[in-house]
Amino acid sequence: MIAAQDRKIALWNIGVAYTAFLIGTLCGLLQVFIRNDALQLPSWLDYYQILTAHGVLLALIFTTFFIFGFFITGMSKSLGAFGPKVRLFSWIGFWVTLLGTVMATVMIVSGEASVLYTFYAPLKGSGWFYVGLALVIVGTWISSFALVGHYIVWRKTHKGELSPLFAFMTITTIILWIIACLGVVATVLFQYIPWAFGWTDTINVELSRSLFWYFGHPLVYFWLLPAYMAWYVIVPKLLGVKVFSDSLARLSFVLFILFSIPVGFHHQLTEPGISNFWKFLQVVLTFMVIIPSLMTAFSMFATFEISGRKKGGTGLFGWFKKLPWKDVRFTSIFIAMAFFIPGGAGGIINASFQLNEVVHNTLWIVGHFHITVGTPVAMTFMGMTFWLIPYLTGRKFTKSMQILGFVQIITWSIGMLLMSTAQHVLGLLGAPRRTAYSGYNGHESALEWFDGILTNHVTMAVGGSILFLSAMILIYIVVMTMFLSPKAVKPEEIVEFPMAESDKESTPKWLENWWIWIGIAVFLIVAAYAIPLSHMIHHAPPGSEGFKTW
Ligand code: HAS
Ligand code: CU
């Protein structure tokens, strides 16, 4: 087990993550009922306010705190206990992120920032909301630097050695995160904050969106890569095999540093002010970033097959039956992966220049992110929760807990399947996103969109309610394993951190030469962004004043 002080930092991060999860999923439940007109909100609460809280607390806050809890645990396990400085900075990072979270949440709840999680200008929230967001980023940077410091110390004492796969992947994700944040930090500090506090009158809208998406796309890989870490490092251990290929795993992660960032325009394909050439270039780069995910899929199938054959599976699909289906830690992640097949395919559709015209700004996109971040990522995190918290607290993960775990992941899958299918279909029919009213296209009101076979009010409400039930079961498991379950005493009760062995003998050393990857990434970013961004600055139309539409 890792050092007690490191466990404490990790547990606080996970605790905050699940507090955000609780409030965020509650907002999600309210969401479907409002959509259904089954719920009349009190006057101090409105649709956009709840939608903002739902997006911020689940997509940004739950993920971030959970990811750091996971990183801290894994880095302490794979590289050894933290030194005093690393610990101190991890705590400071945690508190700063939490302070920012509280500030932003208070502003949303008090109705001062119903700007949705993408906070597009010219919607104008309270300046303190943006300060809160800035603190969240600064906090994560402090936590990141603490982990990088821990890694540097390890490298110094292990000259010439490749670092363990877990540490390599953590550092890759952190590099990606730090480069990505530069965009959002620039827009929040130099555009939103001066404008929201009234120091400047107007804002350059196109520039703010572009800087946001420079960050917003790699943000999705900041969520995805920790899930991939579980797929690469934890799944093989649960199957009793080694990592399929250490060098493939490292290469796929490195490709994310290169191609995650210069692609933000694929969220802006319908926007004026960016010429088609730059959109096209970034679409091509978007197709490049699909490759490491395909490599991951390949690697997973190989891992399954090797383990299945080892256990006596024969024939083309015999291995499938030999997978450890009764182990909720595995089944959860397998379902997560299965969801990512349509999730990723949907992403490829979104990224295809012309097809984007059909789906952009419709509920299809909402469906897309519920089967990317909402299931593959979130359910992998859930599957990890089942052992991560007991590992950190030394408590038992009892038989009944295992059964509840199954109920939880199955209800989550059913809920997401119903809800996201409905959203995809509605999107194709033209139902818009980000709006509570949508009476166009022959429809009298927003409600009339919801009258198809799979897209009626009842399906949506049932889907949403099942998801909420699932979330509450998870919260119960979290509370039990954190505070109430009996302590594990017998050796077979002790919950381990399942980390697979990875043969790195044949892995080339240059894969861990970060400067190569950072250098190529910077080159690609400059190539994809320098000219269009400078155009946006030099040929900007008059800036926009702010609007408070809620
Ligand atoms: Fe996306 C919009 C393109 C992946 C999240 N995306 C969004 C938004 C979010 C989001 C939150 O190009 C909305 C933002 C907003 O509010 O406006 N996305 C892509 C592409 C990928 C992609 C090309 N997205 C993600 C991931 C996300 C995420 C991952 C979160 C974690 N996305 C877009 C585009 C838009 C967009 C446009 C803008 C649309 C618009 O117009 O607004 C790729 O990374 C996907 C590659 C993935 C694959 C799948 C590989 C499959 C694997 C599973 C293997 C399974 C196994 C199990 C082994 C190619 C690895 C076997 C099981 C069996 C049952 C057989
Ligand atoms: Cu994207």
Side-chain angles (χ1 to χ4, degrees), residues 381-394:
F381 290 0
M382 292 164 183
M384 279 155 60
T385 303
F386 300 144
W387 53 262
L388 188 55
I389 300 182
Y391 171 75
L392 291 167
T393 57

Side-chain angles (χ1 to χ4, degrees), residues 213 216-218 220-221 263-264 266-267 286:
W213 285 117
H217 186 78
V220 314
Y221 297 126
V263 298
H266 69 225
H267 293 265
T286 304

